[in-house]
Amino acid sequence: GQNIDQPTEMTATEGAIVQINCTYQTSGFNGLFWYQQHAGEAPTFLSYNVLDGLEEKGRFSSFLSRSKGYSYLLLKELQMKDSASYLCAVRDKGKAAGNKLTFGGGTRVLVKP
Amino acid sequence: GAGVSQTPSNKVTEKGKYVELRCDPISGHTALYWYRQSLGQGPEFLIYFQGTGAADDSGLPNDRFFAVRPEGSVSTLKIQRTERGDSAVYLCASSSDGLAGGNYNEQFFGPGTRLTVL
């Protein structure tokens, strides 16, 4: 099975940087995903890491360390519209697992002016 | 369609009733997933289809839950004898198989069906 932990809530100021940590313990691993979910809306894909290291995509970056079972999502130059929940998810290994994702509880980020 | 669509957007039912939730995935996506999300929680996997067959139904909580995808496109999640604990947002997602150039790694979620069991 999978166990995924991330903080429940974080607050940051507009223009600042916030780092959301995610730790996982898994029986199999085939990639870690970050999704953004605004209140009342569907999750939208942000990033995918399967190898160790940093993946940068505009203001958002995601890091993975497989040996430590650890990832973080870095949000730079925060904007008010970044207020949302950020979901860490792990994909199982194995063909039968397909794209099945196990999600953490989500981190609600509140951006203040 | 342009994205994943789900109907109805809201469903209120009484305890013990039967409900059907529909998902229309992105055209051409072979994989389809159902998740359930309770307030303040992350989505919880229910079942995954590859084509018409259920490749993994290990997340279905009990035999009151059943899902079908008879033609490999639209899927219906069926819940019998609903209970108050079934109240949640039911999310559907689809992804390509990557063979036609789509990004296999990205799941596209629908807006969800909010189910309330009174």
Side-chain angles (χ1 to χ4, degrees), chain A residues 33 35 37 40-45 48 87 91-92 95-106, chain B residues 33 35 37 40-45 48 55-56 58 91 95 103-111 114:
Chain A
F33 297 74
Y35 279 78
Q37 186 176 28
E41 297 183 10
T44 54
F45 173 82
Y48 160 68
L87 301 162
R91 181 168 64 191
D92 275 332
K95 187 177 179 182
N99 235 348
K100 170 187 172 182
L101 297 177
T102 301
F103 284 88
Chain B
Y33 309 82
Y35 295 87
Q37 187 173 28
Q41 303 295 317
E44 172 194 16
F45 171 79
Y48 149 58
D56 185 344
S58 62
L91 295 166
S95 65
N103 182 2
Y104 168 74
N105 295 310
E106 183 172 354
Q107 289 188 28
F108 295 84
F109 282 82
R114 181 175 299 278

Side-chain angles (χ1 to χ4, degrees), chain A residues 1-4 24-33 50 66 69 89-94 97 100-102:
Chain A
Q2 316 276 26
N3 187 34
I4 301 168
Y24 63 90
Q25 291 137 14
T26 63
S27 55
F29 178 84
N30 191 21
L32 188 138
F33 297 74
V50 69
R66 289 170 295 169
V90 171
R91 181 168 64 191
D92 275 332
K93 194 169 187 177
K100 170 187 172 182
L101 297 177
T102 301

